[in-house]
Structures are given as C-alpha cells and as structure tokens.
Amino acid sequence: MGPGPISAYPSVLRSMSAPLVGQFDPYMTALMEETQELYRGVWSTRNDATLLVDGTSRAGIEAALVSLIRPGERVLVPVFGRFGHLLAEIAERAQAEVHTIETDWGQVFPVSVLEEAIARVRPTLLALVQGDTSTTMNQPLDEVGELCAKHGALFYTDATASLGGNPFEADAWGVDAATAGLQKCLGGPSGSSPLTLSERALGVIRSRRRIEAGIREDGDDSAPDFIRSNYFDLGQICDYWGPRRLNHHTEATSMLYAAHECARLLLQEGRDAVIARHRVAGEAMLEGVRGLGLGVFGDVAHKMSNVVAVEIPEMVHGDAVRASLLEDFGIEIGTSFGPLHGRVWRIGTMGHNAREDAVLQTLAALESALRSHGASVPNGDGVEAARAVFRGAAA
C-alpha cells in the first residue's frame, strides 16, 4: 500500500507464467499489435507509435529524452518534486542545455508560470512530470500542449505514477511524447514502460535515424546527429514494433504478457470507471487518515487520486511505525525523499489495491500501529470516515 510498486492484479501474475514464444512467431507479432492498440485506449490517442520499451519506467523516460533531444538544444524542466530533478538529469546526460524552474514541494505550477518560462527560455522541448509520487502532486496538463505548440516546443510528460488512475488525454492535450510504467495504477510489475509518440515527435526521431551496421539495408538513412543510445534508440524500436520488424532487441516476452493484461483489464473495466475507482479509494484513504487526526501534506486540491502524503506525528518514529505495519499486519507503506524524508508516509491506493477492503484494513492497522507506539488516536474513526466515502460513492 505504498507509492509503488504495488500488489499486481492476480491475472497479470498468471499471464506472466504463460509459455514463451519466439520474437517472430506469428502469435508474438499479433500480440504486439494487439498490445499497441490496447495502449492507444489507455493513453487516449490514435498515435501509431504507441508501444513498450523493455525496462522500468526510467527506461521509457530515457528513451524518450535521448531520442528527442539533440546535443545543445534547450530543454525546460519545471521541478516540483524528485522526479522533475530526474528529468533534468537525464536531459543533461543527453547533452541538452537544461533550464529549470522550481516551486515548493507540495505545490504545482500555474499555467501562467509555465507560459512565462516557455516564452523566456524558448526550449526545443518541455519535459514535465504529471504525477510526482515524491510529493503526491498532480500537475494539470490540459493547457500545456497548446502552450508548447504556440512556442514551437515539443511536449514530453512522465506519467509513470499517474496513468490509469488519473485522467490522461494524450491527443486532446496535445502531448507529443509520454511514458509510464506498469507498477503503479496499471497494476503490474516494474519492467515494461508504455510509450506513445505524436507524429511531430516521430518526425524528430526519424530525422535522427541510424540503423546499426549488422542489420542495415541499402537505402537506410544514417543521420550525422543520430541518437546516441543504441538500446534506447526509439527510431530502431519503432521499426521493431512496426511492419519492418527490425531485429533491434529480443522482446521481454513475459513483460509483454503482463503489459497486455494490465491494459486489457483497464479497458475491460472501462477507463473512466477505473479512474473513478481510484478517485473514490483515494478520497476514502484521505478522509481515513484525517479521521485518525493525522495531517496531510501539500495542496490537496492538486493531489493525485492514488497516493496521499501523511504527516508523521511528532510523538512517533516514522520508520518504527512502518516496520510494525509490515511485521504485524503484512502491510507496506512508504516514506519519501529529500526534504520530505522522515516527515511523511506515502500511502497508495492504486491498481488492484484501489478497493474498499484494502483501504479499511490499512487504516485499521495504522491505527493499531500508532497506538502501540504511544500515539493517541481516535478509536475507529479512520475506518468509519473511509467507510462513509465508499457508502456515499455507492449511493
């Protein structure tokens, strides 16, 4: 019940035990195409270049940034938590001229601040986290794509922590590139990174095309400013997933099965229904910790629906309470990073765990653990506050 990874859906785990097949087996290529179409539904896009990058969510981030950024180009990164700093670091490693703006952890950026920075820096690319689990904040994106198009910048967003549990409209919001992971709201294991690219982003990648010598054919382009990573070269990866079936790498078959099942489950339940389920479970957890008399960190109006940052009471040791939850109840919750380390617990309600019994059990266990460590908390009020949210939603 932490900020991710979380407990995977049982059918996702079962899917990973299916027999392996060769990467050019007709079943394999058909499953890849089906997975692409499923993720178009997850991202709310018609982008042809919608696929998976083999690796954790950070692999998707690095593939997007190293493929879209030419050395020396300006990149603007608004930072409101740990993962904005990560985007800036990866962009710097891609040899960009990185510009950052920052706001306090627990806040998001007003669109006016983003527009001023874009107009001033004039970046080739804006790299912006949607949901930053380090702070639990959810940056509004609905106007950002239009701003980027107005100023000639590509718009990349990291939706690792938010996709599937919070609204995301790739086409409607004008997103050029977005990446995520399975281990949060999508309810799978870490190890596969869904990615989608607009035609505008794909044009940049094609202009940097270079295919490695061992598989190059007559007529293949070889750009002088080619993408400097081989593994994360989205030009070659797109050719692997496309009709050419370029032998760039060997697909991680079991992770493909998992990613396919994550998307299938989401669309079977209904994208809006899954987002609503996360919203209700998140509100129940929020009201539950408040019912225990605990404070909540940050601007709650801009909190992700799938994780809450709970202020640790002064009278208890945060890690000791977390240890009691794990040892006595088998429930894991998280701490945070940087300036929030030791100040907050992060409790997630996402994927398979965005359900009533998981929320109520966590709150009951937290109440018991707090009391065992000397904290005075209301008896049962957390569970009852959460129960009221679920009852209201059902009504």
Side-chain angles (χ1 to χ4, degrees), residues 5-311:
I6 50 80
S7 306
Y9 290 108
S11 66
V12 172
L13 298 178
R14 286 195 298 271
S15 74
M16 297 178 73
S17 66
L20 303 183
V21 295
Q23 61 179 324
F24 299 115
D25 186 292
Y27 174 77
M28 180 72 160
T29 53
L31 189 69
M32 291 170 72
E33 291 177 357
E34 190 174 304
T35 301
Q36 289 181 277
E37 187 59 24
L38 288 171
Y39 277 94
R40 291 183 186 109
V42 173
W43 288 112
S44 189
T45 185
R46 294 313 308 157
N47 289 340
D48 182 64
T50 300
L51 43 84
L52 305 174
V53 174
D54 287 347
T56 65
S57 49
R58 190 174 299 213
I61 295 169
E62 187 151 346
L65 294 182
V66 77
S67 297
L68 290 170
I69 298 169
R70 290 181 171 91
E73 288 184 335
R74 291 183 183 181
V75 171
L76 174 63
V77 184
V79 177
F80 60 100
R82 175 197 169 181
F83 295 102
H85 288 297
L86 173 65
L87 298 191
E89 169 148 338
I90 293 174
E92 185 178 12
R93 288 172 182 255
Q95 301 182 56
E97 179 188 314
V98 179
H99 297 254
T100 60
I101 56 173
E102 296 193 34
T103 191
D104 292 338
W105 287 32
Q107 303 297 316
V108 296
F109 289 95
V111 69
S112 59
V113 172
L114 295 177
E115 181 166 27
E116 185 280 328
I118 293 169
R120 171 171 47 82
V121 175
R122 304 201 67 80
T124 302
L125 180 139
L126 173 75
L128 179 60
V129 175
Q130 183 187 30
D132 195 314
T133 46
S134 67
T135 67
T136 76
M137 293 297 104
N138 189 11
Q139 172 66 47
L141 301 180
D142 53 315
E143 298 180 63
V144 178
E146 185 178 351
L147 284 181
C148 288
K150 175 182 173 183
H151 293 280
L154 288 171
F155 175 28
Y156 162 75
T157 185
D158 166 24
T160 298
S162 49
L163 184 67
N166 303 266
F168 194 97
E169 302 289 338
D171 288 354
W173 294 350
V175 176
D176 289 302
T179 61
L182 304 184
Q183 74 276 13
K184 310 276 188 177
C185 301
L186 294 177
S190 180
S192 181
S193 181
L195 173 147
T196 190
L197 299 166
S198 73
E199 281 299 317
R200 200 158 71 112
L202 205 53
V204 173
I205 291 165
R206 286 173 179 149
S207 73
R208 304 184 68 200
R209 182 187 184 92
R210 171 172 150 164
I211 295 172
E212 61 191 74
I215 54 176
R216 192 179 304 153
E217 297 177 359
D218 292 342
D220 281 339
D221 300 328
S222 185
D225 60 342
F226 58 89
I227 295 165
R228 296 297 165 174
S229 172
N230 178 291
Y231 187 74
F232 293 136
D233 181 345
L234 284 181
Q236 294 191 97
I237 293 172
C238 285
D239 276 337
Y240 178 69
W241 281 81
R244 187 173 179 182
R245 297 295 171 192
L246 182 78
N247 187 20
H248 172 257
H249 65 282
T250 301
E251 181 61 21
T253 312
S254 297
M255 287 308 307
L256 173 64
Y257 296 160
H260 178 279
E261 181 64 5
C262 287
R264 189 194 69 79
L265 287 174
L266 185 146
L267 297 178
Q268 180 184 58
E269 184 176 346
R271 201 168 66 104
D272 291 344
V274 174
I275 290 170
R277 174 163 60 83
H278 280 79
R279 186 184 67 249
V280 171
E283 183 182 348
M285 185 63 79
L286 172 67
E287 294 306 320
V289 295
R290 284 172 164 171
L292 289 173
L294 303 175
V296 176
F297 173 78
D299 177 6
V300 173
H302 288 104
K303 185 184 78 64
M304 284 188 289
S305 66
N306 52 296
V307 61
V308 60
V310 181
E311 294 173 346

Side-chain angles (χ1 to χ4, degrees), residues 309-330:
V310 181
E311 294 173 346
I312 300 172
E314 291 184 3
M315 73 285 296
V316 301
H317 188 280
D319 286 346
V321 173
R322 289 176 61 230
S324 292
L325 279 172
L326 188 59
E327 293 166 6
D328 298 340
F329 299 96

